[in-house]
Amino acid sequence: MTISRRGFVGGIATALGYLGLGPNVDLWAQGRRGGADQGALLAGRGRASVEEYDAFAKLSSNENPYGPPDSVMKAMTEAFKYANRYGYPDGGIVEALAAHHGVKPENIMLAAGSGEVLDVVGTTFLEGGKKVVGVEPSYSQVYSHASGIKADAILLQLTKDYRQDIPSLIQATKKHYRDVGFVYLCNPNNPTGVIVTKQEVKQLLDGIPEDMTVLIDEAYHHFVDDPNYATSVPYVLEGRPVIIARTFSKIAALAGMRLGYAVAPAELIRRMRPYGIGSVNAIVKWGGVAALKDTESQAHVKKVTIELRKKTTSELEAFGYRTIPSETNFFMVAIKRPVVPVIEEFRKKGVLVGRPFPPMLEHLRVSIGTPEEMTRFTTAFKEIFAATKTTAQVG
């Protein structure tokens, strides 16, 4: 099933209507900026105070709740001496990324978070009203950006088991070939947490015209355990028109510092570069180099995150609520009722959870926080839904 740009904007309007928010509230910008002020927005009070923000269990934006490791903090602290300079040493971040992925520096484009990469790809490849082909729900910034630059999106439904429908993506791309600027694949997908297997990625790339650009968003790559998953960087080495978007916002805990990058064939990077903002700060470049080296800290974060995800979803399943199997630092739970009022119920209990993701408006996305935050979440969940069950029984 395809959805036009009007249909996509209509989905946003539906969610806003449920929330009772006015037209000046940019719900989707919460996703782009990390959703830090989501609770305050839902309360209609603008931005939260520092005290309010710090008091929330923040399970809405898929962040690393532990913060940067000591190695990264040390590197960034030492780099503050360059805060007053323009032509500062940057720690060799581009060269470090190229070496990390086995590519050349000309295959790397830095960005202020992977969100900037997604916007740059949209601006570059949707010129002249071209369309992006993808699935819904997925990371909506790609589609909202297309709408903002008066381009369009061809959106397909997920399969019944919440997977991205590769045969349908191939079919839609071939059918609209002359009008398609690029294909978008979020892998693992946000908000469902479900992977596209390495076999399916190959099926997609082999099934569409060989000159079709494909943007593969690997923001949650580091959390995957499934052996059927693989990064798509090798396709860049083959020279295929594939753009990989990566971020330091998730497992590296640098969301507020804004560092991301693209890995792509040099010709695509050259086309994209004029649209980049070039606003990555001096401090985070040094932090990024240190983060690449500190694989031990990332392995620890992955381990504790997966353990907490499994523990939390098992508790919800035991309570009678099914979850979608996830390979990320978040999961979705089917709550059997409209999600928007539930988001507000959690906010009242001091817990921020994910925004609505049309059309899955009876699913709640929950990020994995610290053990204490997850305890607060499960306690609040049982209170909210026990009250629901009691009301239903009385009625």
mmCIF file with all atom_site columns, all heavy atoms in Angstrom, residues 115-128:
data_model
loop_
_atom_site.group_PDB
_atom_site.id
_atom_site.type_symbol
_atom_site.label_atom_id
_atom_site.label_alt_id
_atom_site.label_comp_id
_atom_site.label_asym_id
_atom_site.label_entity_id
_atom_site.label_seq_id
_atom_site.pdbx_PDB_ins_code
_atom_site.Cartn_x
_atom_site.Cartn_y
_atom_site.Cartn_z
_atom_site.occupancy
_atom_site.B_iso_or_equiv
_atom_site.pdbx_formal_charge
_atom_site.auth_seq_id
_atom_site.auth_comp_id
_atom_site.auth_asym_id
_atom_site.auth_atom_id
_atom_site.pdbx_PDB_model_num
ATOM 1   N N   . GLY A 1 115 ? 20.979 12.517 11.848 1.00 0.00 ? 115 GLY A N   1
ATOM 2   C CA  . GLY A 1 115 ? 19.816 13.220 11.318 1.00 0.00 ? 115 GLY A CA  1
ATOM 3   C C   . GLY A 1 115 ? 20.187 14.201 10.227 1.00 0.00 ? 115 GLY A C   1
ATOM 4   O O   . GLY A 1 115 ? 19.444 14.367 9.247  1.00 0.00 ? 115 GLY A O   1
ATOM 5   N N   . GLU A 1 116 ? 21.351 14.836 10.365 1.00 0.00 ? 116 GLU A N   1
ATOM 6   C CA  . GLU A 1 116 ? 21.787 15.730 9.304  1.00 0.00 ? 116 GLU A CA  1
ATOM 7   C C   . GLU A 1 116 ? 22.097 14.959 8.033  1.00 0.00 ? 116 GLU A C   1
ATOM 8   O O   . GLU A 1 116 ? 21.807 15.416 6.924  1.00 0.00 ? 116 GLU A O   1
ATOM 9   C CB  . GLU A 1 116 ? 23.017 16.539 9.728  1.00 0.00 ? 116 GLU A CB  1
ATOM 10  C CG  . GLU A 1 116 ? 23.423 17.556 8.660  1.00 0.00 ? 116 GLU A CG  1
ATOM 11  C CD  . GLU A 1 116 ? 24.699 18.317 8.970  1.00 0.00 ? 116 GLU A CD  1
ATOM 12  O OE1 . GLU A 1 116 ? 25.168 18.272 10.125 1.00 0.00 ? 116 GLU A OE1 1
ATOM 13  O OE2 . GLU A 1 116 ? 25.239 18.964 8.041  1.00 0.00 ? 116 GLU A OE2 1
ATOM 14  N N   . VAL A 1 117 ? 22.656 13.777 8.169  1.00 0.00 ? 117 VAL A N   1
ATOM 15  C CA  . VAL A 1 117 ? 22.912 12.937 6.992  1.00 0.00 ? 117 VAL A CA  1
ATOM 16  C C   . VAL A 1 117 ? 21.599 12.652 6.263  1.00 0.00 ? 117 VAL A C   1
ATOM 17  O O   . VAL A 1 117 ? 21.513 12.771 5.039  1.00 0.00 ? 117 VAL A O   1
ATOM 18  C CB  . VAL A 1 117 ? 23.586 11.609 7.391  1.00 0.00 ? 117 VAL A CB  1
ATOM 19  C CG1 . VAL A 1 117 ? 23.689 10.678 6.179  1.00 0.00 ? 117 VAL A CG1 1
ATOM 20  C CG2 . VAL A 1 117 ? 24.962 11.854 7.987  1.00 0.00 ? 117 VAL A CG2 1
ATOM 21  N N   . LEU A 1 118 ? 20.564 12.294 7.021  1.00 0.00 ? 118 LEU A N   1
ATOM 22  C CA  . LEU A 1 118 ? 19.270 11.976 6.405  1.00 0.00 ? 118 LEU A CA  1
ATOM 23  C C   . LEU A 1 118 ? 18.719 13.188 5.659  1.00 0.00 ? 118 LEU A C   1
ATOM 24  O O   . LEU A 1 118 ? 18.184 13.062 4.549  1.00 0.00 ? 118 LEU A O   1
ATOM 25  C CB  . LEU A 1 118 ? 18.279 11.507 7.467  1.00 0.00 ? 118 LEU A CB  1
ATOM 26  C CG  . LEU A 1 118 ? 18.714 10.344 8.359  1.00 0.00 ? 118 LEU A CG  1
ATOM 27  C CD1 . LEU A 1 118 ? 17.558 9.883  9.236  1.00 0.00 ? 118 LEU A CD1 1
ATOM 28  C CD2 . LEU A 1 118 ? 19.259 9.179  7.552  1.00 0.00 ? 118 LEU A CD2 1
ATOM 29  N N   . ASP A 1 119 ? 18.841 14.379 6.259  1.00 0.00 ? 119 ASP A N   1
ATOM 30  C CA  . ASP A 1 119 ? 18.362 15.590 5.598  1.00 0.00 ? 119 ASP A CA  1
ATOM 31  C C   . ASP A 1 119 ? 19.168 15.896 4.341  1.00 0.00 ? 119 ASP A C   1
ATOM 32  O O   . ASP A 1 119 ? 18.606 16.277 3.304  1.00 0.00 ? 119 ASP A O   1
ATOM 33  C CB  . ASP A 1 119 ? 18.444 16.783 6.548  1.00 0.00 ? 119 ASP A CB  1
ATOM 34  C CG  . ASP A 1 119 ? 17.344 16.770 7.612  1.00 0.00 ? 119 ASP A CG  1
ATOM 35  O OD1 . ASP A 1 119 ? 16.452 15.909 7.536  1.00 0.00 ? 119 ASP A OD1 1
ATOM 36  O OD2 . ASP A 1 119 ? 17.393 17.632 8.512  1.00 0.00 ? 119 ASP A OD2 1
ATOM 37  N N   . VAL A 1 120 ? 20.482 15.736 4.434  1.00 0.00 ? 120 VAL A N   1
ATOM 38  C CA  . VAL A 1 120 ? 21.342 16.029 3.285  1.00 0.00 ? 120 VAL A CA  1
ATOM 39  C C   . VAL A 1 120 ? 21.030 15.079 2.134  1.00 0.00 ? 120 VAL A C   1
ATOM 40  O O   . VAL A 1 120 ? 20.971 15.495 0.965  1.00 0.00 ? 120 VAL A O   1
ATOM 41  C CB  . VAL A 1 120 ? 22.829 15.949 3.687  1.00 0.00 ? 120 VAL A CB  1
ATOM 42  C CG1 . VAL A 1 120 ? 23.729 15.930 2.450  1.00 0.00 ? 120 VAL A CG1 1
ATOM 43  C CG2 . VAL A 1 120 ? 23.194 17.133 4.574  1.00 0.00 ? 120 VAL A CG2 1
ATOM 44  N N   . VAL A 1 121 ? 20.816 13.822 2.443  1.00 0.00 ? 121 VAL A N   1
ATOM 45  C CA  . VAL A 1 121 ? 20.455 12.859 1.389  1.00 0.00 ? 121 VAL A CA  1
ATOM 46  C C   . VAL A 1 121 ? 19.146 13.274 0.738  1.00 0.00 ? 121 VAL A C   1
ATOM 47  O O   . VAL A 1 121 ? 19.006 13.259 -0.491 1.00 0.00 ? 121 VAL A O   1
ATOM 48  C CB  . VAL A 1 121 ? 20.361 11.433 1.964  1.00 0.00 ? 121 VAL A CB  1
ATOM 49  C CG1 . VAL A 1 121 ? 19.770 10.473 0.927  1.00 0.00 ? 121 VAL A CG1 1
ATOM 50  C CG2 . VAL A 1 121 ? 21.733 10.940 2.406  1.00 0.00 ? 121 VAL A CG2 1
ATOM 51  N N   . GLY A 1 122 ? 18.166 13.676 1.557  1.00 0.00 ? 122 GLY A N   1
ATOM 52  C CA  . GLY A 1 122 ? 16.888 14.111 1.007  1.00 0.00 ? 122 GLY A CA  1
ATOM 53  C C   . GLY A 1 122 ? 17.038 15.316 0.094  1.00 0.00 ? 122 GLY A C   1
ATOM 54  O O   . GLY A 1 122 ? 16.505 15.343 -1.027 1.00 0.00 ? 122 GLY A O   1
ATOM 55  N N   . THR A 1 123 ? 17.769 16.316 0.549  1.00 0.00 ? 123 THR A N   1
ATOM 56  C CA  . THR A 1 123 ? 17.952 17.524 -0.254 1.00 0.00 ? 123 THR A CA  1
ATOM 57  C C   . THR A 1 123 ? 18.700 17.231 -1.548 1.00 0.00 ? 123 THR A C   1
ATOM 58  O O   . THR A 1 123 ? 18.386 17.786 -2.606 1.00 0.00 ? 123 THR A O   1
ATOM 59  C CB  . THR A 1 123 ? 18.723 18.588 0.553  1.00 0.00 ? 123 THR A CB  1
ATOM 60  O OG1 . THR A 1 123 ? 18.012 18.858 1.770  1.00 0.00 ? 123 THR A OG1 1
ATOM 61  C CG2 . THR A 1 123 ? 18.862 19.874 -0.235 1.00 0.00 ? 123 THR A CG2 1
ATOM 62  N N   . THR A 1 124 ? 19.676 16.325 -1.474 1.00 0.00 ? 124 THR A N   1
ATOM 63  C CA  . THR A 1 124 ? 20.502 16.006 -2.643 1.00 0.00 ? 124 THR A CA  1
ATOM 64  C C   . THR A 1 124 ? 19.740 15.201 -3.682 1.00 0.00 ? 124 THR A C   1
ATOM 65  O O   . THR A 1 124 ? 19.809 15.500 -4.888 1.00 0.00 ? 124 THR A O   1
ATOM 66  C CB  . THR A 1 124 ? 21.752 15.214 -2.215 1.00 0.00 ? 124 THR A CB  1
ATOM 67  O OG1 . THR A 1 124 ? 22.469 15.948 -1.232 1.00 0.00 ? 124 THR A OG1 1
ATOM 68  C CG2 . THR A 1 124 ? 22.656 14.936 -3.409 1.00 0.00 ? 124 THR A CG2 1
ATOM 69  N N   . PHE A 1 125 ? 19.017 14.195 -3.245 1.00 0.00 ? 125 PHE A N   1
ATOM 70  C CA  . PHE A 1 125 ? 18.469 13.218 -4.189 1.00 0.00 ? 125 PHE A CA  1
ATOM 71  C C   . PHE A 1 125 ? 16.973 13.349 -4.457 1.00 0.00 ? 125 PHE A C   1
ATOM 72  O O   . PHE A 1 125 ? 16.425 12.583 -5.261 1.00 0.00 ? 125 PHE A O   1
ATOM 73  C CB  . PHE A 1 125 ? 18.789 11.799 -3.706 1.00 0.00 ? 125 PHE A CB  1
ATOM 74  C CG  . PHE A 1 125 ? 20.263 11.511 -3.655 1.00 0.00 ? 125 PHE A CG  1
ATOM 75  C CD1 . PHE A 1 125 ? 20.970 11.617 -2.469 1.00 0.00 ? 125 PHE A CD1 1
ATOM 76  C CD2 . PHE A 1 125 ? 20.951 11.184 -4.811 1.00 0.00 ? 125 PHE A CD2 1
ATOM 77  C CE1 . PHE A 1 125 ? 22.332 11.376 -2.422 1.00 0.00 ? 125 PHE A CE1 1
ATOM 78  C CE2 . PHE A 1 125 ? 22.313 10.946 -4.781 1.00 0.00 ? 125 PHE A CE2 1
ATOM 79  C CZ  . PHE A 1 125 ? 23.014 11.045 -3.587 1.00 0.00 ? 125 PHE A CZ  1
ATOM 80  N N   . LEU A 1 126 ? 16.321 14.317 -3.800 1.00 0.00 ? 126 LEU A N   1
ATOM 81  C CA  . LEU A 1 126 ? 14.891 14.528 -4.068 1.00 0.00 ? 126 LEU A CA  1
ATOM 82  C C   . LEU A 1 126 ? 14.638 15.816 -4.837 1.00 0.00 ? 126 LEU A C   1
ATOM 83  O O   . LEU A 1 126 ? 13.513 16.327 -4.862 1.00 0.00 ? 126 LEU A O   1
ATOM 84  C CB  . LEU A 1 126 ? 14.103 14.539 -2.751 1.00 0.00 ? 126 LEU A CB  1
ATOM 85  C CG  . LEU A 1 126 ? 14.128 13.236 -1.949 1.00 0.00 ? 126 LEU A CG  1
ATOM 86  C CD1 . LEU A 1 126 ? 13.278 13.370 -0.698 1.00 0.00 ? 126 LEU A CD1 1
ATOM 87  C CD2 . LEU A 1 126 ? 13.670 12.049 -2.789 1.00 0.00 ? 126 LEU A CD2 1
ATOM 88  N N   . GLU A 1 127 ? 15.674 16.340 -5.462 1.00 0.00 ? 127 GLU A N   1
ATOM 89  C CA  . GLU A 1 127 ? 15.504 17.539 -6.283 1.00 0.00 ? 127 GLU A CA  1
ATOM 90  C C   . GLU A 1 127 ? 14.503 17.271 -7.398 1.00 0.00 ? 127 GLU A C   1
ATOM 91  O O   . GLU A 1 127 ? 14.402 16.157 -7.921 1.00 0.00 ? 127 GLU A O   1
ATOM 92  C CB  . GLU A 1 127 ? 16.847 17.964 -6.884 1.00 0.00 ? 127 GLU A CB  1
ATOM 93  C CG  . GLU A 1 127 ? 17.800 18.603 -5.889 1.00 0.00 ? 127 GLU A CG  1
ATOM 94  C CD  . GLU A 1 127 ? 19.066 19.100 -6.544 1.00 0.00 ? 127 GLU A CD  1
ATOM 95  O OE1 . GLU A 1 127 ? 19.564 18.417 -7.470 1.00 0.00 ? 127 GLU A OE1 1
ATOM 96  O OE2 . GLU A 1 127 ? 19.557 20.163 -6.140 1.00 0.00 ? 127 GLU A OE2 1
ATOM 97  N N   . GLY A 1 128 ? 13.758 18.322 -7.740 1.00 0.00 ? 128 GLY A N   1
ATOM 98  C CA  . GLY A 1 128 ? 12.800 18.196 -8.836 1.00 0.00 ? 128 GLY A CA  1
ATOM 99  C C   . GLY A 1 128 ? 11.572 17.383 -8.480 1.00 0.00 ? 128 GLY A C   1
ATOM 100 O O   . GLY A 1 128 ? 10.921 16.826 -9.384 1.00 0.00 ? 128 GLY A O   1
#
